Amino acid sequence: MAVNKGDYFDELETMAPGTRQKYLDNKLSLTVEHAYKHAPAVKKLFDGCGVSPGEIRTVSDLEKVPITRKTDLIEMQKSDLPYGGILTIPPENVERVFISPGPVYEIQSPEIKWFSKSFWAAGFRKGDIVINTFTYHMSPAGILFHEGIRDCGATVVVAGTGNTDLQVQIMKDLKVTGFVGTPSFLMTVIKTAEEQGYNFRNDFAVKKSWFTGEPLSPTIRQTLENDYGISTSQAYAVTEPGGAIAYECEEKSGMHFMDDYVIEIVDPETGKQLGPGEIGEVVVTPVHSPEWGLIRFGTGDLSSYTTETCPCGRTSHRITGIVGRTTDAVKVRGMFIVARQAEQVVKGFDQVSRFQFTVGREAQRDKLVLNLTLTKDVQDRESLQNEISSRFQSTCRVKIDGFRFVEKDAIPEDAKTIVDERDWT
Ligand SMILES: [Zn+2]
């Protein structure tokens, strides 16, 4: 593929929407056909649900296929070592094996530019000296990021994890311009440098950063950008289906779907695809990697997506950030409420000291109630309710049906954020 390294890493990033849909549909149907033919586990999966590979012609056809989750993959590999029947090539042709917790064994062919686009979009270029603080052991992180940084022409400092003092010295000595790691590790590095008497902004050359592995909080982002003059960028990566799923552009407003993955946001209970703005599980099918027959991998992460045009010119849809795990979510009137999101809303009100949501049923309808303990006597409870309601609805897209003001002891300090009291029997 011709690589035009201007604003974009390659031409796939700016495919017209119709072309993109055709591109994905075509790659998906080839991937499914190939996997069915060469991966015994995929044949078993399709035969088991009575779907023939020929029925999967478009992304929306994928709904017919059950989701494979990490726990399934662990069991599949345990009973059919080492790859669980999803390898489609002779094992002697495997160049690399990575190990994820489980353990889960994954393979990768180095030709695939998994992370390059993401680093390019983060502004990494020739002349940059980039410290890679992800581990090079077992997990794919270290070596894959390393290659992605190299694809952008930058120099990589092979640092790996830990040794904060030494990392500070390396960054100073080598005049490192780019940081790759977790946001919390960069904050630790900065703090350590400051404890050693440095002024990080003036004494160090770090101007760009790229994160994955943990969410970048808006507060840390602001601190890094405003106080330290470091541009920030993040990517969403999942190892089992092979790497970078989505990445931020300079707009920093959601993460673009990586071109060679079919990404669905689905109802985790039914596997049905959801529309823009609806929160559901991120399900991934890599279509770049014919040797790895992983169809519909359920990540367990909850997100939503937007189809709005991005001013950067990239045309893929964007996920709007990972809001939680499927295990932390409760479905209310068909919409998932994620504990973390709900907490963020209510914690924004300092009149509230403790709170808990309860979900019940009344007249065949889910009823969401917010129980509150107030820090002080609030005169105008109604306007407090209205304000919480409106912020909650715009964040979680579900309406709170009622408020209950309770004594402090009624809600324990370590109370669960959302309690499901519905009885379906
Ligand atoms: Zn963009």
Side-chain angles (χ1 to χ4, degrees), residues 98-160:
F98 297 119
I99 300 106
S100 288
V104 172
Y105 302 107
E106 301 121 20
I107 61 128
Q108 182 244 352
S109 59
E111 296 87 59
I112 295 159
K113 309 288 183 199
W114 280 358
F115 285 91
S116 320
K117 277 178 203 190
S118 169
F119 289 113
W120 190 260
F124 289 32
R125 298 291 186 273
K126 192 174 174 69
D128 276 321
I129 299 162
V130 181
I131 192 163
N132 182 8
T133 68
F134 280 102
T135 181
Y136 282 70
H137 290 287
M138 293 206 196
S139 110
I143 194 165
L144 290 188
F145 301 160
H146 183 114
E147 287 170 345
I149 300 162
R150 285 294 304 135
D151 286 338
C152 298
T155 301
V156 192
V157 181
V158 184

Side-chain angles (χ1 to χ4, degrees), residues 14-285:
T14 52
M15 281 183 281
T19 314
R20 176 178 296 282
Q21 197 54 53
K22 268 187 215 147
Y23 176 86
L24 283 178
D25 288 344
N26 180 45
K27 281 213 141 185
L28 175 66
S29 75
L30 291 174
T31 299
V32 167
E33 297 262 5
H34 182 84
Y36 184 85
K37 216 177 277 173
H38 299 284
V42 175
K43 185 173 180 346
K44 194 173 154 198
L45 177 77
F46 276 68
D47 292 351
C49 64
V51 175
S52 84
E55 286 175 61
I56 311 301
R57 290 278 158 237
T58 65
V59 171
S60 50
D61 293 334
L62 259 187
E63 279 186 344
K64 298 172 190 164
V65 182
I67 292 170
T68 299
R69 293 202 166 76
K70 183 163 179 125
T71 44
D72 304 319
L73 203 53
I74 292 171
E75 287 312 310
M76 283 156 67
Q77 293 200 341
K78 246 193 227 161
S79 61
D80 184 9
L81 282 165
Y83 302 115
I86 60 174
L87 187 71
T88 67
I89 55 171
E92 61 270 27
N93 293 350
V94 171
E95 178 167 336
R96 286 179 186 167
V97 182
F98 297 119
I99 300 106
S100 288
V104 172
Y105 302 107
E106 301 121 20
I107 61 128
Q108 182 244 352
S109 59
E111 296 87 59
I112 295 159
K113 309 288 183 199
W114 280 358
F115 285 91
S116 320
K117 277 178 203 190
S118 169
F119 289 113
W120 190 260
F124 289 32
R125 298 291 186 273
K126 192 174 174 69
D128 276 321
I129 299 162
V130 181
I131 192 163
N132 182 8
T133 68
F134 280 102
T135 181
Y136 282 70
H137 290 287
M138 293 206 196
S139 110
I143 194 165
L144 290 188
F145 301 160
H146 183 114
E147 287 170 345
I149 300 162
R150 285 294 304 135
D151 286 338
C152 298
T155 301
V156 192
V157 181
V158 184
T161 52
N163 299 309
T164 312
D165 285 348
L166 185 57
Q167 301 242 18
V168 170
Q169 191 192 336
I170 296 168
M171 286 162 79
K172 176 95 174 64
D173 291 349
L174 296 178
K175 297 187 173 58
V176 162
T177 60
F179 174 92
V180 168
T182 59
S184 50
F185 189 55
L186 179 54
M187 291 308 292
T188 304
V189 164
I190 292 174
K191 221 175 125 221
T192 307
E194 286 173 345
E195 281 164 9
Q196 292 174 3
Y198 289 114
N199 175 318
F200 195 83
R201 192 172 182 141
N202 297 340
D203 300 335
F204 286 72
V206 180
K207 290 286 170 281
K208 301 166 191 176
S209 61
W210 183 97
F211 305 118
T212 193
E214 68 181 35
L216 172 61
S217 76
T219 332
I220 291 190
R221 168 162 255 171
Q222 215 174 1
T223 304
L224 289 170
E225 303 243 351
N226 299 347
D227 301 350
Y228 294 101
I230 301 171
S231 150
T232 57
S233 184
Q234 57 182 334
Y236 170 52
V238 182
T239 55
E240 292 82 2
I245 308 300
Y247 60 106
E248 271 184 345
C249 63
E250 63 272 19
E251 298 295 324
K252 300 172 190 182
S253 163
M255 292 183 259
H256 284 280
F257 289 6
M258 195 61 84
D259 299 306
D260 281 308
Y261 292 85
V262 169
I263 296 162
E264 305 164 86
I265 304 291
V266 310
D267 180 328
E269 285 160 19
T270 63
K272 293 280 172 228
Q273 292 167 357
L274 300 173
E278 293 183 272
I279 288 176
E281 183 178 7
V282 183
V283 170
V284 182
T285 304

Side-chain angles (χ1 to χ4, degrees), residues 362-404:
E362 212 175 82
Q364 305 302 311
R365 184 179 180 277
D366 293 335
K367 187 176 176 192
L368 179 67
V369 174
L370 176 55
N371 303 278
L372 295 173
T373 306
L374 300 179
T375 46
K376 52 180 189 282
D377 194 31
V378 175
Q379 295 303 318
D380 190 356
R381 286 184 175 184
E382 201 177 321
S383 60
L384 175 66
Q385 281 180 209
N386 291 343
E387 222 177 303
I388 295 177
S389 277
S390 105
R391 258 194 247 173
F392 185 85
Q393 195 163 359
S394 71
T395 305
C396 302
R397 296 165 56 92
V398 174
K399 192 174 166 292
I400 298 174
D401 301 296
F403 285 79
R404 207 178 289 139

Side-chain angles (χ1 to χ4, degrees), residues 287-337:
V287 293
H288 53 55
S289 193
E291 61 268 36
W292 199 233
L294 190 55
I295 312 290
R296 286 201 109 196
F297 180 75
T299 62
D301 290 326
L302 289 170
S303 187
S304 60
Y305 73 100
T306 173
T307 56
E308 278 169 31
T309 314
C310 184
C312 78
R314 290 174 184 82
T315 51
S316 57
H317 297 163
R318 283 166 289 154
I319 57 168
T320 47
I322 302 304
V323 294
R325 299 280 301 164
T326 47
T327 43
D328 308 326
V330 176
K331 205 177 195 181
V332 178
R333 296 193 289 276
M335 297 288 288
F336 283 98
I337 300 181

